[in-house]
Amino acid sequence: QVQLVESGGGLVQAGGSLRLSCAASGYTFSSYAMGWFRQAPGKEREFVAAINWSGGATVYADSVKGRFTISRDNAKNTMYLQVNSLKPEDTADYYCAARRARYLGLDVNEYAYWGQGTQVTVSS
């Protein structure tokens, strides 16, 4: 079955960086677009970034544009999110998701498969 496993979260000071990873298994990774979402305590899950099946197209939420970079390595069945210049408001659980389509999706409801999340905490 499809499995997505995130890693790389942690506690970091404001201005710091992390690299989140999402290891996928159970399907042909290169066939699906992928995305990162986040959910802060008491808030709804929100879109962060998405990447198409080949990695040739990406899209970002305005709040992270210029600070976060999404990428994927189809040979390793892994997606990444490089997060730089972190702010306290970036504190959340970060989830990777797979979409049963090749092209970008920005909405939670467009994604069929989800990981368990990795926590990112940014201290001021």
Side-chain angles (χ1 to χ4, degrees):
Q1 72 277 20
V2 174
Q3 190 171 14
L4 302 173
V5 180
E6 301 97 333
S7 61
L11 173 64
V12 63
Q13 289 189 328
S17 298
L18 289 170
R19 190 193 197 200
L20 308 184
S21 298
C22 173
S25 61
Y27 70 103
T28 304
F29 181 72
S30 59
S31 294
Y32 290 171
M34 301 286 294
W36 286 98
F37 291 78
R38 66 186 182 186
Q39 188 167 18
K43 295 190 176 181
E44 292 188 353
R45 193 167 296 189
E46 66 174 4
F47 171 77
V48 174
I51 189 166
N52 76 336
W53 64 281
S54 68
T58 58
V59 62
Y60 297 90
D62 287 344
S63 59
V64 307
K65 204 173 293 183
R67 300 188 298 122
F68 291 12
T69 303
I70 189 172
S71 61
R72 65 190 295 163
D73 186 338
N74 286 347
K76 295 183 178 180
N77 289 355
T78 303
M79 176 179 65
Y80 305 97
L81 187 69
Q82 179 67 41
V83 297
N84 299 328
S85 303
L86 281 162
K87 305 175 182 180
E89 52 264 42
D90 293 318
T91 294
D93 291 326
Y94 283 71
Y95 297 88
C96 71
R99 181 169 189 245
R100 285 186 293 200
R102 287 177 173 254
Y103 303 106
L104 300 171
L106 279 68
D107 190 88
V108 167
N109 295 318
E110 294 181 281
Y111 289 81
Y113 305 108
W114 293 84
Q116 84 290 346
T118 185
Q119 188 173 58
V120 173
T121 303
V122 184
S123 63
S124 57

